[in-house]
Amino acid sequence: MARRSTTNPVLETEPLLSRRAFLGRAAGLTGVAAGLAVGGYVVYSDQPIRQGAVQVARFKDFRVAPDPLRPVMAVVRGTRVEAMVQESVGKLGGVARFIQRGDRVLLKPNVGWDRQPEQAANTGPELVEAMVRICREAGAASVWVTDVSLNDPRRCFARSGIEAATVAGGGQVRLPGRDDFVATEMGGKVLKVWPVARFFHEVDKVINLPIVKHHSLSGCTLAMKNWYGVIGGQRNRLHQSIHDSIVDLAAAVRPTLTVMDATRVLKRNGPTGGNPADVAREETIIASLDEVALDSFCLSFLDLAPEAVPFLALAEARGLGKVAWRDLNVVRSQVG
């Protein structure tokens, strides 16, 4: 019989398993999905499963209560990013709706690549600094900024400007090492148990800070695709079922708030980019409580239709949001 931890409500402890037993149990599951899930954990982890318990965590639900009197999405255009972020969050009810004094907050920008801000492969440092500062001014006890980068993480955080922006705003960068991953039940169609950076299990609020980019496989990388950066393991194996895996991740990680960077947009040759000629200035920040609607809205920056992006309809069918964003309460404003 499984034992539940009494010290950490998000951790459930399974019986002691040998590595062979663990693999045997995994092999008993059927289909590619099970193989991917177990493979993701075993291949990545250095931990000797045979020497201890396999602790399987579950994500908290970080969302705030819905408020039918407030907009679901706020679109702000301008050139002063911090003012635009303040405006967009204010339209949704103000930072006090999302952050309470003493909260431990984690920000999840896209910091996947060893690129400079002008190349728009990563979230802009201006958005990260603004969001860190806003959370600190709201009384957050700590603000961590993390991502599971695909290139060398130290270079990614340094060259993107996000390390300096985090410090300037009063936050702290958390770079996950090889032992900083926790086996986590994702509960998805493709993703079952997968290694997740432990920082996501150690905070009270999570704010998603993606950027609008072209992606060669999925057509685009937006809010839901940004959750690839919470997991370790051989993520490239998930590309075999990329649309289902995007939806699995979005269903597993329910953030407090999402603030999209559409100030610079990588129009072509994503997700890595590199050529500034592929980048357009769109000067837009969008805050939203519906990631499906947000992603659907942002397709216009990439000249895509919802029908060309299968994960949107899949996400709506799973109850994660609404593709037809025009049916929702969306407000627009200009700052500066």
Side-chain angles (χ1 to χ4, degrees), residues 11-59:
L11 291 179
E12 293 181 351
T13 304
E14 293 190 339
L16 295 178
L17 289 176
S18 69
R19 184 183 181 86
R20 175 173 297 178
F22 180 82
L23 292 170
R25 174 180 294 185
L29 303 174
T30 59
V32 175
L36 286 173
V38 174
Y41 179 71
V42 173
V43 170
Y44 185 83
S45 177
D46 280 343
Q47 297 302 312
I49 295 170
R50 63 183 180 278
Q51 294 182 2
V54 177
Q55 293 187 316
V56 180
R58 295 180 184 275
F59 278 105

Side-chain angles (χ1 to χ4, degrees), residues 110 112-113 115-124 210-216 219-222 260-284 298-304:
N110 187 325
W113 307 102
R115 297 293 194 201
Q116 295 177 313
E118 293 76 14
Q119 295 167 304
N122 303 306
T123 302
I211 184 172
V212 179
K213 291 195 298 181
H214 168 258
H215 193 286
S216 58
C220 54
T221 175
L222 301 163
M260 179 72 78
D261 183 1
T263 56
R264 299 182 183 93
V265 172
L266 181 60
K267 298 274 191 175
R268 297 171 294 277
N269 298 314
T272 59
N275 186 348
D278 292 334
V279 178
R281 297 300 302 240
E282 297 289 355
E283 311 296 6
T284 307
C298 289
L299 295 182
S300 62
F301 294 115
L302 300 168
D303 300 320
L304 290 171

